[in-house]
Structure formats: C-alpha cells, structure tokens
C-alpha cells in the first residue's frame, strides 16, 4: 500500500543516513530506554524494531539480551544499522509491509516512525499481526504540530516568508499527534491497555551543528525547503535562525532545545 506521502518519504530519506545519524538520531536517543521499557524488552525477548534507522533502538535491545530483528524503508539506513549492530537481522521494507509471519514477536517497537507512514491505521494492523497474543507494542511519535527542536528551523523559514512548496504533502499522522488522538488510533487498531505518556526533554547541541543537520543536510521537510532556496535566501533564513536560537542559550556556546514526544504502550 503506497501513496503520495510514502513516495515523498522515500525520496526525502534516500541517502540521508549519515546526516540523520549526526543529528536526529541523537535527538531521539532519549526515548530509547522508555520505549524498550514500555515494550517489556528484556533478556530473551523476541523483538521487532520497525523503522530502525541507524539501529539505535536495536543496539540497546541487543545490549539488554533481546533477540532482535529490524526493518527500515531505506537501504542506506538498513546498512548503517547492520554496521552499528553487528549480526542484526535487518530487512528493507516499507510499512505497512512487514516481511515476517503472524505472531512471531513478543514485542514491537518504533521510535518516531509512525508519524512517517502514509496510512497509520494499516501500519498498526500489520504490527498487530506479527505480535503474539499478549505481546507488547511501544511506539513514540512527535507531538504535533512540532515545537522546540523540531520547530526552530521552520520558525526561521516562516519568519523570512518562504512558503511550504505545494508538492510537499502534509503528514497523514498530523491529526493523531496529541495524546488522546494517539491513544484512540492505537485502540481502534485492536490493541488493549493502551496508555500514552507525554515525554519532554532538552537536547543540548551546538547551534551550528543543528543548523547543518536540520537545514543544510536535506534531512526532513525543513531541510528540503532550505535546500531549494538561493544563497541569498538561505543567508536570510540563517540570520533568523541565529536570532531565534538565542532563546535557548545554555552556556558554553550550546543551545538547549526542548523536545516534545508521545509514547504509547499497548498489548496485543
């Protein structure tokens, strides 16, 4: 099942694994332990990590003693995960395609992945299929609309007056990016005992590094927008970014960007 948003996502992330690993993978690392805890991942747990990216969640699950398989839609991401987690069973698959049999796993995790799929309902159905009865699902997503760490570059773009290009689709998950709506989505997919936790943390980073990974590397929609501008417009966006970033000054030349996410845990 593929739609325009899925095709956009494939183009968006193709070749972006190194930049993602330097930037957003570090941002989402805070969620790894809470995610694995919500899924009940421990020694011997048979786990599927979806949208593994560069393998951050899978690596920690292996450290806990879990037996881990993983999927990612991007071949370069999958290759990075294999390099970062030696011996990891990683397969390239675009959700809701999950190339495993029914009831193979005791736990399924996905770290900030469900907000990147074209049909969230279909993806949840596929994840439920591969879970054993009583198995645990744990998914994180960004609170929507994005704020703090996700919004800094976008605020600079907006301040300069650069519009979102008409060919960039709005994420289908946008309507589910609040706690109650996220829980309703998971319950409607047939999961039980669904509970959503709001998670907030600070991502301390060099502002020049965040500009490079969030605006100049083509990662995410903001990176696509900046990448389409001429040099003069990019310079204006950067000036706005520098000014807006001072709100988050943390000393030592760093900024502390607030991050806001949701974490759902539920039972098959």
């Amino acid at each position: 099942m593929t739609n325009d948003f899925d095709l956009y996502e494939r183009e968006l992330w193709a070749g972006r694994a190194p930049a993602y690993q330097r930037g957003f993978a570090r941002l989402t690392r805070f969620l790894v332990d809470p995610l694995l805890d919500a899924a009940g991942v421990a020694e011997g747990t048979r786990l599927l990590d979806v949208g593994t990216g560069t393998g951050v969640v899978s690596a920690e699950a292996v450290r806990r003693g879990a037996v881990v398989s993983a999927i990612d839609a991007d071949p370069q991401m999958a290759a990075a995960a294999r390099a970062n987690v030696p011996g990891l069973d990683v397969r390239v698959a675009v959700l809701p395609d999950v190339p495993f049999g029914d009831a193979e796993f005791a736990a399924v995790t996905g770290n900030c992945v469900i907000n990147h799929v074209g049909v969230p309902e279909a993806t949840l159905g596929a994840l439920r299929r591969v879970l054993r009865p009583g198995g645990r699902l744990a998914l994180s997503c960004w609170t929507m609309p994005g704020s703090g760490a996700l919004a800094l570059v976008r605020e600079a773009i907006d301040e300069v007056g650069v519009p979102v290009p008409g060919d960039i689709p709005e994420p289908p998950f946008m309507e589910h990016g609040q706690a109650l709506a996220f829980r309703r989505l998971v319950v409607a997919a047939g999961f039980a005992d669904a509970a959503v936790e709001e998670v907030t943390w600070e991502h301390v980073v060099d502002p020049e590094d965040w500009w490079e990974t969030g605006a100049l590397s083509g990662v995410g929609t903001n990176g696509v927008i900046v990448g389409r501008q001429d040099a003069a417009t990019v310079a204006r966006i950067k000036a706005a970014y520098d000014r807006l970033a001072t709100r988050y000054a943390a000393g030592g030349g760093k900024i502390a960007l607030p991050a806001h996410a949701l974490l759902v845990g539920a039972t098959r």
Side-chain angles (χ1 to χ4, degrees), residues 1-166:
M1 181 183 300
T2 301
N3 61 21
D4 289 344
F5 182 77
D6 287 316
L7 294 173
Y8 167 74
E9 284 281 318
R10 300 291 64 75
E11 294 173 0
L12 177 66
W13 292 104
R16 301 294 192 272
Y20 173 80
Q21 185 160 272
R22 293 194 308 272
F24 283 92
R26 295 178 180 175
L27 171 64
T28 60
R29 187 178 294 275
F30 182 90
L31 292 164
V32 172
D33 280 322
L35 189 77
L36 292 173
D37 290 345
V41 175
E43 182 78 29
T45 301
R46 183 79 175 96
L47 169 69
L48 175 63
D49 181 34
V50 301
T52 192
T54 55
V56 178
V57 174
S58 291
E60 177 58 25
V62 168
R63 193 194 67 77
R64 291 187 180 201
V67 180
V68 184
S69 294
I71 62 173
D72 199 275
D74 183 68
Q76 192 182 59
M77 292 283 192
R82 289 190 195 99
N84 291 331
V85 190
L88 181 66
D89 170 23
V90 189
R91 307 184 191 186
V92 177
V94 180
L95 293 168
D97 178 26
V98 181
F100 293 94
D102 295 355
E104 279 200 37
F105 297 96
V108 172
T109 54
N111 197 14
C112 295
V113 172
I114 190 69
N115 42 284
H116 287 288
V117 303
V119 186
E121 297 85 354
T123 290
L124 285 166
L127 301 183
R128 187 173 184 273
R129 177 185 65 77
V130 298
L131 268 174
R132 301 169 187 166
R136 292 289 295 174
L137 172 78
L139 299 174
S140 62
C141 71
W142 296 114
T143 301
M144 295 191 173
S147 58
L150 294 189
L152 179 55
V153 174
R154 174 58 62 82
E155 288 174 6
I157 292 169
D158 290 345
E159 183 171 297
V160 171
V162 175
V164 177

Side-chain angles (χ1 to χ4, degrees), residues 184-205:
R184 285 175 174 165
L185 177 70
V186 172
V187 170
F191 289 92
D193 307 318
V196 177
E197 175 187 358
E198 299 186 30
V199 185
T200 300
W201 70 101
E202 286 189 336
H203 182 57
V204 179
V205 65

